Amino acid sequence: METETLIPWLREKMREMFEAGVWLDPLLVNVCAGGSANLSGDSVRLGARRWADDLYERLVRVDEVCSLLGDVPYSPRIMRTCLHQVILSTVVALEHDEYGLARLSDRSLQRAVQRVEEFIARAGVHWAYAVYLAVVGHDVLQPLAVRRDFYEADYLEGIYHYPYPSEELDVFLMLGLAMSLFRFKVDKRQRRMTLTRQGRHHYQWLHRLLSESGYLHRRMSLSYVHQFEHPATWVQLASEVWPDVRKVHREFVRWLSIPRGARVLEVAFDLGPLAVDGGIRSQVGPAGQVVVVDVSGGGHGLLHFKELADGAASELTVESGSVDRLPCADASFDICVGTTLLHAVDPVAFLREMSRVVKRGGVVAVLQPVQYDLFLPFLKEWFEPVFDLSKRRTPNAKWLGLPAEDEVRSWFVAAGLEDVEIERTTGVWRFNNPEMVVQHFFRGIRPFQAELMELPWNHWRSLLDELIERGADVCRRYPLAERTVSVPLMMVRGRRGPARGSAGDDAKILADCPGGTLTGVHCATR
């Protein structure tokens, strides 16, 4: 099957895999196999190996798989590795989605095996194999696409591909040579590897596939596991870098004036900060309902623990979802809220999706940081490598991707929201603990993550280590007062337009909405 014809088929199967709750990331598993402290669990690794062998014996028929793969090379050894890694990846993803922690757990192993087996029964084991080859092919070719060439010995020792083990890399080298993706050049009696024209085209094809399928976006949410030796929870990071975050969230919730008994949806990249810490549950009271849709792929369990400690009586539900399609019926909420979201998504499309789930006359509201002076001396010195990387890749890009105030207002209008109201406030960012600051930026700021995804794994680690070292030097030379920044924030809300019915119906809908009738675009400053 031609690669251009294969893209839509493989892209769809990858999406089906994600929807089935199955995940596959060799980087994640190879870090785990290396004994990383945050992924300890020898019994789970051994159990996954036994289950992989069992699935192979029961489900793999070599003649059938080969006929379904067409001209894609088949290896029983790679198939066994694929099954083992898809089980372990799914275990980690399950733990991360439910508890916000990347780890191995015996209790998640059985669920992971069940999900993998159900997906294979529905889609076919050859599709799991094809997805595995696509992901590994991307990871193996990426360093060559970035560096253009390097010594074969460095490749086989994993210099540019760690944490891939050398016993896997030699198989992929043979596979790449058989597919004419690599070629050798002799340099002082050593062989240098480089991509052929076909290899470069194949890498571009794989990158497009992983991007369009949503794989790279999903990978970003777990990538911190193989970026940092000791990853912190998001709550720890936010508390360290944004010390007044809870106060700002409560200020935003108070400004919204959500009435008792309202049905509220929060879209969050992590723990539902407005629903619990911001006080929405307390504000709507026992008769209200609060739903949090976590679009980050993590944090459900931590939110549950926070919920138990919160003591509010309103009903709360947590769902997984996507910014492209929230798992909620049309017009099912009075208000939909979010914080620090718009610079990480397609803002107009996302606001339209938020608008879809609120009733006519309902409110869509966002707390959004906006552009500020990023070229403060200490910031420029600390993050100069990222500035340079971003300029090389996208000369006119805005660092951090933070929007201007006018952009935020225009997004609400373009999304069809009416009676847009804006109030300005500020938050404090403290650049003190170098490792926590770097983790916060690379986990919480999507443009940073997107830049990393374009680099080979070893480049990530080198860049992160350099930033932590630079941060330590900056913290020694600049007093804390100079490393504490006031970040401008916009509190923005607009209403979903009323149905085109009678004037009386429209007036009733507006009168029922929290906060009273709004006209035009209002701006205030705190």
Side-chain angles (χ1 to χ4, degrees):
M1 185 181 292
E2 294 294 326
T3 55
E4 290 302 316
T5 306
L6 185 59
I7 275 187
W9 288 90
L10 192 50
R11 181 178 59 213
E12 187 59 32
K13 289 301 176 183
M14 293 179 82
R15 288 174 176 169
E16 288 181 18
M17 177 182 286
F18 307 153
E19 290 172 1
V22 174
W23 182 239
L24 174 58
D25 186 350
L27 287 177
L28 196 65
V29 172
N30 286 324
V31 167
C32 157
S36 177
N38 56 297
L39 287 173
S40 60
D42 290 340
S43 64
V44 179
R45 284 192 287 270
L46 292 173
R49 178 68 68 185
R50 288 194 295 269
W51 276 109
D53 290 341
D54 177 71
L55 291 178
Y56 185 90
E57 297 300 328
R58 289 191 292 109
L59 302 177
V60 177
R61 301 291 178 266
V62 174
D63 55 345
E64 179 181 335
V65 170
C66 289
S67 65
L68 292 170
L69 287 173
D71 58 359
V72 176
Y74 176 72
S75 160
R77 175 180 170 181
I78 293 177
M79 176 65 89
R80 288 181 182 273
T81 301
C82 163
L83 293 173
H84 178 238
Q85 294 199 355
V86 74
I87 291 172
L88 274 183
S89 297
T90 304
V91 172
V92 177
L94 278 168
E95 291 289 312
H96 183 263
D97 287 354
E98 294 186 1
Y99 295 100
L101 302 171
R103 62 185 183 184
L104 297 177
S105 161
D106 286 299
R107 67 179 190 76
S108 292
L109 176 59
Q110 189 73 33
R111 294 169 59 202
V113 171
Q114 181 178 352
R115 288 189 181 188
V116 171
E117 186 163 2
E118 288 175 354
F119 170 75
I120 288 174
R122 185 166 61 252
V125 71
H126 63 292
W127 281 115
Y129 180 86
V131 169
Y132 178 74
L133 284 187
V135 174
V136 170
H138 175 272
D139 291 350
V140 168
L141 296 176
Q142 190 180 44
L144 277 170
V146 172
R147 293 184 58 90
R148 298 194 178 278
D149 65 9
F150 44 68
Y151 287 116
E152 179 188 13
D154 288 342
Y155 167 85
L156 291 172
E157 291 175 6
I159 299 298
Y160 303 109
H161 292 83
Y162 182 81
Y164 275 96
S166 57
E167 61 267 22
E168 289 184 14
L169 290 172
D170 60 0
V171 174
F172 302 136
L173 175 59
M174 297 299 105
L175 193 60
L177 290 170
M179 297 173 66
S180 300
L181 305 180
F182 305 135
R183 65 167 176 263
F184 290 129
K185 297 186 297 185
V186 178
D187 176 15
K188 297 179 181 179
R189 293 184 294 182
Q190 291 193 66
R191 294 196 301 192
R192 297 186 70 87
M193 293 174 59
T194 186
L195 289 181
T196 62
R197 179 179 298 178
Q198 182 173 335
R200 192 163 295 279
H201 173 76
H202 196 67
Y203 170 73
Q204 292 169 350
W205 176 83
L206 289 172
H207 191 75
R208 176 183 157 198
L209 168 66
L210 298 188
S211 178
E212 291 180 356
S213 67
Y215 180 90
L216 293 181
H217 179 80
R218 169 64 167 145
R219 194 182 218 185
M220 282 195 295
S221 67
L222 285 162
S223 63
Y224 73 93
V225 178
H226 33 82
Q227 289 172 7
F228 299 100
E229 293 291 343
H230 304 289
T233 68
W234 183 250
V235 173
Q236 292 171 323
L237 295 178
S239 299
E240 169 64 33
V241 178
W242 194 351
D244 65 345
V245 61
R246 184 166 185 170
K247 178 179 75 69
V248 172
H249 287 160
R250 288 188 174 275
E251 178 184 357
F252 179 51
V253 171
R254 284 195 301 270
W255 178 72
L256 292 175
S257 300
I258 302 170
R260 306 288 285 181
R263 300 190 72 243
V264 182
L265 174 68
E266 179 183 0
V267 184
F269 275 133
D270 203 50
L271 303 178
L274 301 175
V276 181
D277 285 345
I280 288 179
R281 294 185 63 214
S282 299
Q283 192 157 332
V284 301
Q289 181 181 15
V290 182
V291 175
V292 175
V293 174
D294 179 6
V295 294
S296 71
H300 290 182
L302 287 176
L303 188 144
H304 176 64
F305 296 141
K306 291 176 70 178
E307 169 204 347
L308 293 178
D310 183 66
S314 63
E315 181 183 349
L316 185 140
T317 306
V318 183
E319 303 282 353
S320 293
S322 163
V323 294
D324 301 317
R325 183 70 181 177
L326 299 173
C328 308
D330 294 355
S332 52
F333 292 91
D334 301 302
I335 182 170
C336 182
V337 299
T339 178
T340 320
L341 290 162
L342 297 181
H343 62 287
V345 297
D346 178 333
V348 175
F350 177 57
L351 288 169
R352 285 175 179 157
E353 180 62 7
M354 293 178 77
S355 179
R356 177 187 66 81
V357 302
V358 300
K359 66 183 183 182
R360 298 287 181 177
V363 174
V364 171
V366 172
L367 176 68
Q368 176 62 38
V370 292
Q371 290 177 10
Y372 64 98
D373 183 8
L374 295 169
F375 293 97
L376 297 169
F378 87 90
L379 269 178
K380 190 174 185 300
E381 289 186 34
W382 190 332
F383 291 100
E384 186 176 17
V386 182
F387 286 143
D388 291 343
L389 176 65
S390 182
K391 287 177 183 176
R392 287 198 303 270
R393 294 183 51 79
T394 313
N396 298 319
K398 295 174 296 190
W399 192 65
L400 300 188
L402 293 178
E405 288 190 8
D406 288 345
E407 286 183 287
V408 177
R409 182 186 295 108
S410 69
W411 292 339
F412 270 71
V413 174
L417 292 160
E418 302 178 358
D419 300 330
V420 178
E421 185 179 18
I422 295 168
E423 185 156 341
R424 299 178 182 90
T425 187
T426 58
V428 172
W429 282 9
R430 182 177 58 195
F431 295 77
N432 190 35
N433 182 315
E435 184 163 354
M436 296 284 271
V437 168
V438 172
Q439 283 201 44
H440 178 270
F441 271 63
F442 279 90
R443 286 183 63 185
I445 299 174
R446 294 294 163 122
F448 265 175
Q449 294 176 327
E451 291 287 355
L452 281 185
M453 298 308 292
E454 300 297 326
L455 297 175
W457 187 89
N458 71 304
H459 285 57
W460 299 357
R461 291 299 296 269
S462 297
L463 177 59
L464 295 172
D465 289 344
E466 179 184 355
L467 289 174
I468 292 171
E469 291 176 6
R470 293 174 75 98
D473 181 60
V474 163
C475 290
R476 282 193 296 269
R477 292 188 295 106
Y478 288 84
L480 180 58
E482 292 185 31
R483 292 181 276 112
T484 302
V485 180
S486 180
V487 179
L489 300 163
M490 293 178 68
M491 301 189 291
V492 191
R493 64 183 173 193
R495 297 187 185 277
R496 182 182 180 187
R500 296 298 177 240
S502 68
D505 290 340
D506 291 353
K508 182 178 185 304
I509 292 170
L510 288 173
D512 287 343
C513 291
T517 302
L518 304 174
T519 57
V521 176
H522 307 277
C523 297
T525 305
R526 291 197 172 187

